[in-house]
């Protein structure tokens, strides 16, 4: 990881500009090959190692004291990113650059990114939902980065994006792909996967007002 070449600044800026324009036009953005494959491979290995060490926690639904485990609704296991490895720091640095550009052009006031590894075992998925909690819309932009290798259509596990009740896009979770969308506007679901599915899910957030 430490020896990876730095990304070309112009190419990076063009990728970020595409995301911003698509978020404005259609409220979501699909970006195959956004991440360097060496970074993707390293992050996937970290996630697999965490799973082997039993360091993943079953994901829950709901907020604060109402959070509950409902495998029939959400079947992934997660581990929050903390920047403890070079690969995590490289990923978070890239997302920090995207956050800066989103704020500069769209005036979103984003303050932080919370993100976690996610592992969906075969037979699991996540029913259709919004990423913004009722009466709490601190999450403004959702990001999903895929870490899988050689994903095929028959493997399942697609991200399905909706507008109201109508499907807008179906995304294979191919390694290197970055998906972004407006958290409180875009319903989405993870179709049942037929093989181990690895990703990072995160949310750019605004600051919670106190008082």
């Amino acid at each position: 990881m430490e020896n990876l070449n730095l990304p070309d600044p112009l190419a990076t800026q063009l990728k970020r500009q595409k995301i911003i324009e698509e978020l404005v036009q259609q409220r979501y953005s699909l970006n195959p090959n956004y991440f360097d494959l060496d970074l993707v491979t390293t992050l996937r290995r970290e996630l697999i190692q965490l799973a082997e060490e039993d360091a993943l926690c079953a994901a829950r639904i709901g907020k604060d004291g109402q959070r509950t485990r409902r495998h029939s609704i959400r079947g992934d296991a997660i581990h929050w990113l903390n920047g403890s490895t070079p690969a995590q720091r490289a990923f978070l640095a890239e997302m920090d650059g995207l956050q800066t550009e989103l704020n500069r052009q769209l005036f979103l006031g984003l303050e932080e990114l919370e993100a976690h590894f996610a592992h969906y075992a075969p037979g699991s998925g996540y029913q259709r939902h919004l990423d913004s909690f009722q009466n709490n819309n601190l999450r403004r932009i959702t990001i999903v980065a895929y870490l899988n290798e050689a994903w095929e259509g028959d493997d399942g596990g697609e991200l399905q994006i909706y507008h109201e009740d109508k499907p807008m896009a179906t995304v294979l979770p191919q390694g290197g792909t970055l998906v972004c969308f407006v958290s409180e506007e875009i319903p989405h679901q993870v179709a049942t996967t037929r093989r181990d599915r690895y990703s990072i899910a995160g949310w750019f957030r605004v600051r919670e007002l106190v008082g």
Side-chain angles (χ1 to χ4, degrees):
M1 269 301 306
E2 294 86 344
N3 297 322
L4 287 178
N5 293 325
L6 294 175
D8 176 73
L10 177 58
T12 298
Q13 182 58 31
L14 290 173
K15 289 178 179 180
R16 293 172 181 168
Q17 190 63 37
K18 173 182 179 292
I19 290 172
I20 290 168
E21 292 176 0
E22 291 181 345
L23 286 174
V24 170
Q25 294 165 3
Q26 62 188 21
R27 317 307 280 172
Y28 70 92
S29 178
L30 311 181
N31 303 274
N33 305 312
Y34 187 92
F35 294 101
D36 180 270
L37 287 183
D38 286 342
L39 176 60
V40 170
T41 299
T42 303
L43 289 167
R44 180 174 66 248
R45 288 172 178 167
E46 286 189 12
L47 175 47
I48 292 171
Q49 182 175 353
L50 288 167
E52 292 174 346
E53 294 172 350
D54 200 26
L56 303 180
C57 298
R60 299 176 181 270
I61 59 173
K63 186 176 184 295
D64 299 331
Q66 298 179 334
R67 294 177 64 79
T68 182
R69 173 65 171 157
R70 295 282 298 278
H71 188 273
S72 62
I73 296 176
R74 179 179 182 179
D76 56 326
I78 68 172
H79 183 91
W80 292 95
L81 270 65
N82 57 16
S84 61
T85 68
Q88 289 187 34
R89 290 192 290 272
F91 173 84
L92 293 171
E94 171 55 33
M95 292 298 95
D96 184 67
L98 177 58
Q99 175 181 307
T100 297
E101 201 62 25
L102 287 166
N103 282 336
R104 188 180 74 83
Q105 296 196 41
L106 302 182
F107 308 101
L108 295 179
L110 305 173
E111 292 281 349
E112 64 177 352
L113 173 71
E114 57 176 8
H116 62 64
F117 285 121
H119 170 224
Y120 288 84
S124 63
Y126 196 164
Q127 291 185 15
R128 188 166 56 172
H129 63 285
L130 285 171
D131 281 348
S132 183
F133 296 112
Q134 188 175 9
N135 301 320
N136 184 320
N137 63 344
L138 300 179
R139 292 176 173 178
R140 296 300 170 84
I141 302 294
T142 297
I143 62 102
V144 186
Y146 293 114
L147 308 178
N148 305 294
E149 185 177 17
W151 200 271
E152 303 291 342
D154 291 342
D155 293 330
E158 305 94 336
L159 176 69
Q160 298 169 332
I161 294 175
Y162 293 84
H163 174 65
E164 297 177 348
D165 290 328
K166 298 179 180 179
M168 289 195 299
T170 298
V171 186
L172 285 181
Q174 190 64 258
T177 296
L178 175 67
V179 180
C180 305
F181 55 84
V182 179
S183 302
E184 60 183 334
E185 295 183 18
I186 300 295
H188 56 286
Q189 70 180 29
V190 176
T192 302
T193 184
R194 300 183 184 90
R195 55 177 278 203
D196 290 297
R197 180 187 188 274
Y198 304 107
S199 63
I200 294 172
W203 302 270
F204 290 117
R205 293 164 45 97
V206 297
R207 187 186 305 275
E208 186 170 10
L209 297 178
V210 179

